[in-house]
């Protein structure tokens, strides 16, 4: 399943065959898994094409001072950031696509545990599953170092070379308990108590080590390519995920069928690291998490706030155009509201402690749904009023353990792009189709064209009649089929209160991110007793649809940073143009130009005080899309020499021409001029 890697380091190639905006496709089967929902594609690629060499202005025979300086800066900037070129594809299989790979990874977890216990006899084993990109195993032992990992890998190699057979054995519960007690493995005893089936299965590695396990495994350790394995890191993990229980040492490893696959995975991981939104957020001064304020609370810096402002304005405009009413609702409410909604009974562990206000208890909101229902209930509704669509960029607060916080992807306070639709049963299909169209429009702005879509159906335990579940599920299927989108059905995977559609977007590295959700709800209308008057003047219960497109602004911003590698397209870039004087003699003209650009809605700034090559290099490093270089000739002619971050020299033009070209690019949501 793997192809051959070139001797040179694998480079990424630019995808040049995006479908038209009107026909998004479901993304192809993804390749390997990656932590936190990341999945690289079979073909690794970058969203940034190689730089092109644009023709310079032909107004003079010899290069001007700005042109000469730009050429010098180009050479330096090229050294700072390597161009990307197309290279061979390397197919990375998944656990789903390759049973052999799954078995290799599972066996590697056992081999690693055996190696650890040989090197550290006092260590206690717990669990060791395969995961998307490899495997891990948790141990109760003293903290490990990088040096320890090298020792463990060396011992794993020795075990693999010995080609021990993997032997499955079935024993009684009593026999399993007796053997575990003899080894003094308390965690395994606890695991045994949780196994309900009999007989108990054990897997042996030769005659030297065994573990409780249902399989599957390779036939022998020699079936593993030891050069296709790497131990990646050590992390702390609480037993059973409970912070009140023992802290364990979790060793992560990756395993593949071939060395070529491992090399491709490592290269992919390096590219993902280069795009890490936490590093880029700091380098580009977009956002921060201020520990003085508390973990998981996001501070949007001016440049990041500009991008958020653009996202919010676009989101609001599209919703207003599609018949939604915008809402703003409070961040707290009486605790009784959350009792009615059921959150206190079923979601309390994710909520913050209540606040005592004048002998009444209030609660920071974990969700926006009850607020929108209260707005609906403010007056009596007729069947003629439907559909009713309300939307809000509402900030919610959810308790997360400090160890689970991760940049913008896992925070304690975030803003959901929340909307709710109240409609009649026969309107469900059309409303779902409208949501899918809106989702396509919003996500398409950012170049997301490839989706993975799942339809989750009725679980064993649910609320609502058979008839309404059938109607809602069929409506969701029909809407997806009308849209022409392929989807998978997750039978029984829906919430207890209704079926749903989940949509994952694919970024520039082929990683998949859960963003959009459309959820039918039969529960909250019942809990809040919301009604309308039908054509026979009888009270009936409306259908409620929950819907989010971006998920949360914070998380989506993190995805955008990594998708673009911080190199935002022109229409979205926090600074669209930087004006660069050759000397301070041109500074006044530069300031005048910047003022004119700002007055015409273009985000521009002047930078000076350094040699021009350094000013250009700094703009490149800060990923500013356009640079306007100004020397004596430009001042005299009232022009600008324009340089594009993506396309190099564009040429010399009048200020008005420059502004007009930027404005057209913004309207078209282009990456550059």
């Amino acid at each position: 399943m793997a192809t051959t890697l070139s001797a040179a380091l694998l480079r990424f190639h630019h995808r040049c065959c995006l479908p038209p905006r009107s026909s998004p496709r479901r993304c192809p089967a993804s390749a390997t898994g990656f932590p936190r929902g990341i999945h690289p594609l079979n073909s690794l690629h970058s969203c940034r094409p190689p730089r092109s060499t644009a023709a310079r202005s032909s107004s003079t025979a010899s290069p001007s001072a700005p042109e000469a300086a730009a050429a010098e800066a180009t050479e330096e900037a090229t050294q700072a950031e390597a161009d990307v070129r197309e290279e061979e594809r390397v197919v990375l299989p998944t656990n789903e696509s390759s049973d052999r790979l799954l078995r290799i990874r599972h066996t590697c977890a056992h081999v690693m545990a055996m190696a650890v216990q040989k090197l550290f006899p006092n260590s206690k084993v717990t669990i060791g599953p395969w995961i998307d990109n490899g495997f891990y195993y948790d141990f109760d032992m003293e903290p490990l170092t990088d040096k320890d990992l090298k020792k463990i890998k060396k011992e794993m190699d020795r075990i693999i070379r010995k080609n021990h057979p993997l032997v499955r054995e079935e024993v009684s519960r009593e026999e399993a308990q007796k053997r575990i007690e003899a080894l003094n493995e308390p965690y395994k005893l606890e695991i045994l108590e949780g196994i309900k089936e009999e007989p108990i299965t054990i897997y042996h590695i030769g005659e030297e080590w065994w573990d409780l396990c249902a399989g599957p495994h390779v036939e022998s350790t020699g079936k593993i390519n030891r050069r296709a394995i790497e131990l990646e890191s050590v992390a702390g993990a609480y037993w059973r995920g409970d912070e009140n229980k023992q802290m364990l040492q979790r060793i992560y490893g990756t395993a593949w069928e071939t060395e070529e696959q491992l090399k491709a995975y490592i290269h992919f991981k390096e590219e993902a690291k280069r795009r890490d939104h936490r590093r880029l957020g700091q380098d580009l001064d977009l956002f921060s998490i201020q520990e003085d304020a508390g973990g998981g609370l996001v501070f949007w810096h001016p440049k990041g706030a500009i991008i958020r402002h653009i996202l919010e304005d676009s989101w609001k405009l599209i919703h207003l155009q599609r018949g939604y009413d915008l809402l703003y609702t409070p961040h707290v409410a009486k605790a009784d509201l959350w009792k009615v909604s059921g959150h206190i009974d079923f979601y309390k562990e994710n909520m913050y402690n209540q606040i005592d206000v004048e002998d009444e208890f209030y609660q920071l909101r974990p969700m926006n749904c009850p607020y929108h229902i209260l707005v609906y209930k403010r007056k009596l509704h007729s069947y003629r009023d439907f559909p009713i669509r309300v939307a809000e960029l509402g900030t919610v607060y959810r308790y997360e353990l400090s160890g689970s916080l991760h940049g913008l992807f896992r925070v304690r306070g975030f803003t959901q792009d929340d909307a709710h639709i109240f409609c009649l049963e026969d309107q469900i299909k059309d409303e779902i189709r409208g949501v899918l169209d809106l989702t396509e429009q919003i996500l398409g702005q950012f170049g997301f064209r490839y989706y993975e879509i799942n339809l989750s159906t009725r679980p064993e335990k649910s609320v609502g009649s058979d008839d309404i579940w059938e109607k809602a599920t069929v409506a969701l299927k029909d809407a997806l089929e009308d849209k022409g989108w392929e989807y998978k059905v997750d039978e029984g995977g829906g919430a207890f209160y209704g079926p749903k559609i989940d949509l994952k977007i694919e970024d520039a590295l082929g990683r998949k991110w859960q963003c959009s959700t459309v959820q039918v709800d039969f529960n909250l209308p019942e809990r809040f007793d919301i009604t309308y008057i039908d054509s026979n003047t009888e009270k009936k219960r409306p259908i409620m649809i929950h819907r989010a497109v971006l998920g949360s602004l914070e998380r989506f911003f993190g995805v955008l940073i990594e998708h673009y590698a911080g190199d935002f397209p022109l229409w979205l870039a926090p600074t669209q143009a930087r004006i660069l004087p050759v000397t301070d003699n041109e500074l006044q003209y530069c300031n005048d130009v910047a003022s004119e650009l700002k007055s015409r809605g273009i985000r521009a700034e002047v930078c000076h005080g350094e040699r021009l090559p350094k000013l250009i290099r700094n703009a490149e490093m800060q990923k500013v899309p356009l640079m306007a270089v100004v020397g004596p000739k430009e001042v005299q002619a009232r022009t600008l020499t324009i340089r594009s971050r993506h396309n190099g020299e564009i040429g010399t033009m009048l200020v008005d021409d420059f502004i007009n070209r930027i404005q057209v690019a913004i309207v078209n949501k282009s990456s550059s001029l």
Side-chain angles (χ1 to χ4, degrees), residues 397-672:
Y397 304 89
R398 297 180 187 174
Y399 176 69
E400 298 282 357
L401 293 174
S402 58
S404 68
L405 300 175
H406 180 79
L408 297 175
F409 293 158
R410 199 72 176 265
V411 293
R412 287 172 170 159
F414 54 93
T415 301
Q416 289 183 309
D417 69 316
D418 227 346
H420 294 91
I421 300 170
F422 302 92
C423 65
L424 306 177
E425 288 183 15
D426 60 4
Q427 295 174 331
I428 297 175
K429 175 187 170 182
D430 289 342
E431 290 306 305
I432 297 297
R433 173 60 194 265
V435 170
L436 299 181
D437 289 342
L438 179 146
T439 299
E440 177 185 8
Q441 182 181 359
I442 291 178
L443 295 178
Q445 298 176 104
F446 309 100
F448 296 120
R449 305 279 189 269
Y450 295 84
Y451 313 138
E452 180 181 281
I453 300 166
N454 288 285
L455 170 63
S456 300
T457 61
R458 189 176 189 175
E460 187 175 337
K461 294 182 179 179
S462 61
V463 298
S465 68
D466 293 345
D467 180 59
I468 191 59
W469 267 93
E470 177 66 18
K471 286 181 179 178
T473 304
V474 169
L476 267 60
K477 288 181 178 179
D478 287 348
L480 285 168
E481 288 167 6
D482 278 1
K483 192 69 179 161
W485 287 356
E486 296 178 32
Y487 63 93
K488 294 179 181 178
V489 177
D490 179 10
E491 296 289 355
F496 74 91
Y497 48 82
K500 66 174 180 174
I501 295 170
D502 288 313
L503 184 149
K504 294 179 181 179
I505 57 175
E506 176 198 316
D507 73 4
L509 290 187
R511 302 173 298 183
K512 296 177 187 175
W513 304 89
Q514 172 67 51
C515 279
S516 309
T517 299
V518 189
Q519 170 78 64
V520 181
D521 188 346
F522 311 132
N523 180 49
L524 286 184
E526 187 80 28
R527 280 182 168 272
F528 282 90
D529 191 26
I530 63 174
T531 60
Y532 69 93
I533 303 300
D534 72 2
S535 58
N536 297 318
T537 67
E538 295 179 357
K539 282 190 174 183
K540 293 289 180 67
R541 190 99 50 214
I543 298 296
M544 182 178 180
I545 300 172
H546 303 262
R547 189 239 69 194
V549 176
L550 306 178
S552 83
L553 293 184
E554 288 77 6
R555 186 171 183 272
F556 188 72
F557 185 41
V559 172
L560 284 182
I561 293 171
E562 299 201 0
H563 175 59
Y564 294 124
D567 194 2
F568 296 101
L570 179 61
W571 70 274
L572 194 58
T575 301
Q576 294 170 316
R578 186 172 284 185
I579 318 299
L580 308 176
V582 175
T583 70
D584 283 352
N585 293 333
E586 295 82 39
L587 187 56
Q588 183 57 54
Y589 175 69
C590 290
N591 287 331
D592 293 342
V593 170
S595 296
E596 178 65 18
L597 265 62
K598 290 176 183 176
S599 71
R600 305 272 288 274
I602 295 167
R603 298 183 292 279
E605 64 186 17
V606 177
C607 282
H608 64 100
E610 302 280 357
R611 291 178 63 247
L612 184 58
K614 187 170 184 180
L615 292 176
I616 294 175
R617 185 170 64 252
N618 289 344
E620 291 272 358
M621 299 302 291
Q622 286 295 302
K623 305 183 188 297
V624 178
L626 297 171
M627 288 151 274
V629 180
V630 177
K633 289 184 180 181
E634 284 76 17
V635 174
Q636 184 177 5
R638 314 305 285 177
T639 59
L640 301 167
T641 296
I642 307 304
R643 173 178 174 74
S644 165
R645 170 170 160 73
H646 290 281
N647 301 319
E649 292 299 319
I650 292 178
T652 299
M653 63 184 72
L654 296 171
V655 174
D656 276 348
D657 291 342
F658 182 49
I659 291 173
N660 291 337
R661 289 184 64 171
I662 294 177
Q663 289 175 333
V664 169
I666 291 171
V667 169
N668 294 330
K669 290 186 166 50
S670 302
S671 295
S672 60

